[in-house]
Each structure stands twice: as C-alpha cells, then as structure tokens.
C-alpha cells in the first residue's frame, strides 16, 4: 500500500534530506587514494551523532536477510553495485576506482535515502562516462516524477538513457517508496514502459536510484549476504535522490 505524506511530513523530510545531502557531500569530499571504507563509516557515524540523527541501515534487517546490516553507510567500489559493507574487511580506495556512498537516514522519525558515485583520483574514460550517464539517468527519471504521470514514465526515462549511453541497468534492483520506513511501496523500477505502473500522486515520496553497469546487468550477492556485484565484474555506478511528488511538480528532498 502506498502511504501518502502530509505537508508536515514533507517539511520534516525536507530538513532530513538536507542533512542527508550535507553528510554525503562531506563524505564525498574525503574520497582520495589511500582512504579506507572504514574511514568513511566512522566519519558518517560521527556526523550523524553531531546532528542528532540516526542511520537507517545500522541494525536494519531487510526482508530475506540473515542478519542485521552492520554499518551506518553502504560503500560499494567498482564492480560492487550496492550494499557494500564498509566496516567488515575494510578496503583501501585506489587511484582510478569509483566508489558509491549510499546513506539512508532517520530525522525526527522520518526516512530519507541518497547515494552518489565518486571518482578516486583520475579515472579512465569509460568509468567517467558510466558515472556521468548514471547521474544524468537520475535527472531524466526525476524530470518524469510528476503528478498524473505513471511509474513507468520514470523507469523508461532511466532505461532509455542508460541504453543510449551504451550501458545496462542492474537487473532486479529498484528504487522504492520511502519516508515512514526505509523501504515502502511502490517499487521504482529502472526499466519499464511509459504509461504503465502506479499513478504518481501528490504526497508520494520515492527514492529514485538508477544503478548502471558497464557490462551486462546481471547481479550476484556475495557471501556476506549484502554486497551485490555485477556477475561479469564490470563496473557499476549509482545515484539516488529522495523525491516528493507535489501538486505542481516535485521536490528533490536530498539535493
Ligand atoms: Mg534506496
């Protein structure tokens, strides 16, 4: 069931989204060769504590998971698409890597979710194109997130942009409703057809999150039960914003 948010809810989500975005901005600014994923996790924990907010992922057990997620942050490098764990077997970032930082946060009881992919030093041309195409796919999706449109309008815009740029969207991974919980209805798929799926209505709050792969979009889950990688080990990028549909358009809450 899709739960619509009130004006008051959206005001809280705006403030939460601003805080979520600010932490991500600071973490992205730390990225350089030699930084460890644990450094990012510890910085996130400290920044959340300073502003009196909580990570939505730390201790969260998603449907089907064997154990609670152990970190404040997801940090996914190169062929890792999402849900890389930064504080178990921490990894050192290397020149030429791409790293996705994904933070979902609870502010005054309401949830926001945002992610971005950052270059570690100088990256190759193919990776640069992948990162740019993923960021643009998110913008194209958001441009369709309007009252009266359907979910498939967003999905199609993302898929079309990904494929036109020579990439594939990661299979079986989608965005989601967010706000009262980290994952709510509806699904926000990264592939689909315009005119199909749920009608977009004012008060809907959704996390739109294209995940593009340089190779085929097939995925697998690593033994840790969380880290999702491309099956063919090709690189992947991921950008995400929490977006509220309004009477007249939308608000990017995590910008
Ligand atoms: Mg998400």
């Amino acid at each position: 069931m899709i739960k619509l948010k009130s004006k008051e809810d959206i005001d809280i989500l705006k403030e939460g989204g601003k805080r979520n975005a600010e932490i991500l901005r600071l973490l992205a600014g730390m990225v350089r060769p030699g930084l460890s994923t644990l450094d990012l996790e510890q910085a996130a924990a400290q920044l959340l504590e300073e502003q009196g907010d909580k990570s939505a992922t730390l201790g969260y057990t998603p449907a089907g998971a064997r154990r609670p997620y152990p970190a404040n942050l997801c940090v996914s490098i190169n062929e890792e698409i999402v849900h890389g764990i930064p504080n178990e077997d921490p990894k050192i970032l290397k020149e030429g890597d791409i790293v996705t930082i994904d933070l979902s946060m609870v502010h005054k009881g309401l949830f926001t979710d945002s992610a971005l992919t950052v270059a570690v030093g100088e990256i190759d041309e193919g990776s640069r194109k992948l990162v740019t195409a993923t960021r643009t796919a998110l913008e194209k999706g958001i441009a369709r997130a309007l009252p009266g449109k359907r979910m498939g309008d967003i999905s199609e815009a993302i898929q079309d942009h990904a494929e036109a740029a020579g990439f594939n969207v990661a299979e079986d991974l989608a965005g989601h409703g967010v706000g009262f919980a980290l994952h709510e209805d509806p699904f926000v798929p990264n592939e689909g057809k315009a005119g199909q799926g749920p009608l977009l209505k004012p008060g809907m709050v959704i996390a739109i999150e294209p995940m593009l792969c340089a190779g085929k979009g097939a995925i697998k889950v690593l033994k840790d039960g969380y880290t999702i990688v491309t099956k063919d080990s090709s690189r992947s990028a991921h950008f995400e914003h929490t977006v509220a549909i309004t009477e007249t358009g939308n608000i990017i809450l995590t910008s």
Side-chain angles (χ1 to χ4, degrees):
M1 196 186 66
I2 299 172
K3 295 178 185 155
L4 299 179
K5 277 74 187 177
S6 68
K7 163 93 177 53
E8 292 69 33
D9 296 329
I10 289 177
D11 283 343
I12 294 171
L13 287 165
K14 265 186 201 164
E15 176 59 26
K18 210 168 97 183
R19 291 163 173 241
N20 194 329
E22 177 61 9
I23 294 181
L24 272 185
R25 192 183 67 78
L26 292 169
L27 296 175
M30 290 171 60
V31 167
R32 55 173 168 73
L35 188 81
S36 90
T37 56
L38 183 61
D39 296 330
L40 289 168
E41 165 65 15
Q42 288 173 338
Q46 192 187 338
L47 290 163
L48 285 163
E49 195 186 334
E50 278 168 17
Q51 64 184 35
D53 295 321
K54 284 206 154 46
S55 160
T57 53
L58 181 64
Y60 173 63
T61 308
R66 296 189 303 259
R67 57 168 183 147
Y69 186 78
N72 287 277
L73 209 57
C74 299
V75 180
S76 309
I77 303 169
N78 297 340
E79 77 283 1
E80 298 172 350
I81 307 169
V82 283
H83 309 158
I85 302 174
N87 54 356
E88 292 179 354
D89 288 326
K91 296 193 182 80
I92 307 290
L93 301 177
K94 300 188 307 293
E95 179 89 20
D97 285 344
I98 55 173
V99 59
T100 298
I101 307 172
D102 189 345
L103 173 67
S104 26
M105 209 193 74
V106 193
H107 171 70
K108 292 191 177 164
L110 298 188
F111 292 69
T112 54
D113 195 358
S114 186
L116 78 186
T117 299
V118 188
V120 184
E122 286 296 315
I123 58 173
D124 65 82
E125 180 69 5
S127 297
R128 199 186 54 73
K129 282 186 176 157
L130 175 67
V131 171
T132 304
T134 310
R135 191 193 299 112
T136 309
L138 174 58
E139 288 164 7
K140 300 253 179 193
I142 292 172
R144 298 265 194 102
L146 302 170
K149 293 218 176 268
R150 291 193 177 267
M151 194 61 76
D153 295 284
I154 297 175
S155 309
E156 185 187 79
I158 290 171
Q159 182 181 10
D160 280 0
H161 186 76
E163 292 175 2
F167 301 116
N168 287 296
V169 299
E171 289 169 6
D172 307 324
L173 296 171
H176 48 92
V178 63
F180 298 139
L182 178 53
H183 294 117
E184 296 176 16
D185 288 340
F187 276 113
V188 183
N190 291 318
E191 44 196 335
K193 289 245 175 307
Q196 297 185 354
L199 186 63
L200 303 180
K201 292 182 190 155
M204 281 174 67
V205 176
I206 52 176
I208 305 176
E209 49 178 324
M211 292 153 262
L212 269 55
C213 306
K216 296 195 192 340
I219 64 169
K220 67 177 182 191
V221 185
L222 297 187
K223 282 204 189 72
D224 64 22
Y226 279 103
T227 311
I228 298 180
V229 299
T230 57
K231 231 177 193 168
D232 59 10
S233 299
S234 66
R235 287 190 167 192
S236 176
H238 175 205
F239 282 83
E240 174 177 30
H241 274 309
T242 297
V243 176
I245 313 292
T246 65
E247 296 286 345
T248 53
N250 66 49
I251 305 168
I252 303 173
L253 298 166
T254 47
S255 72

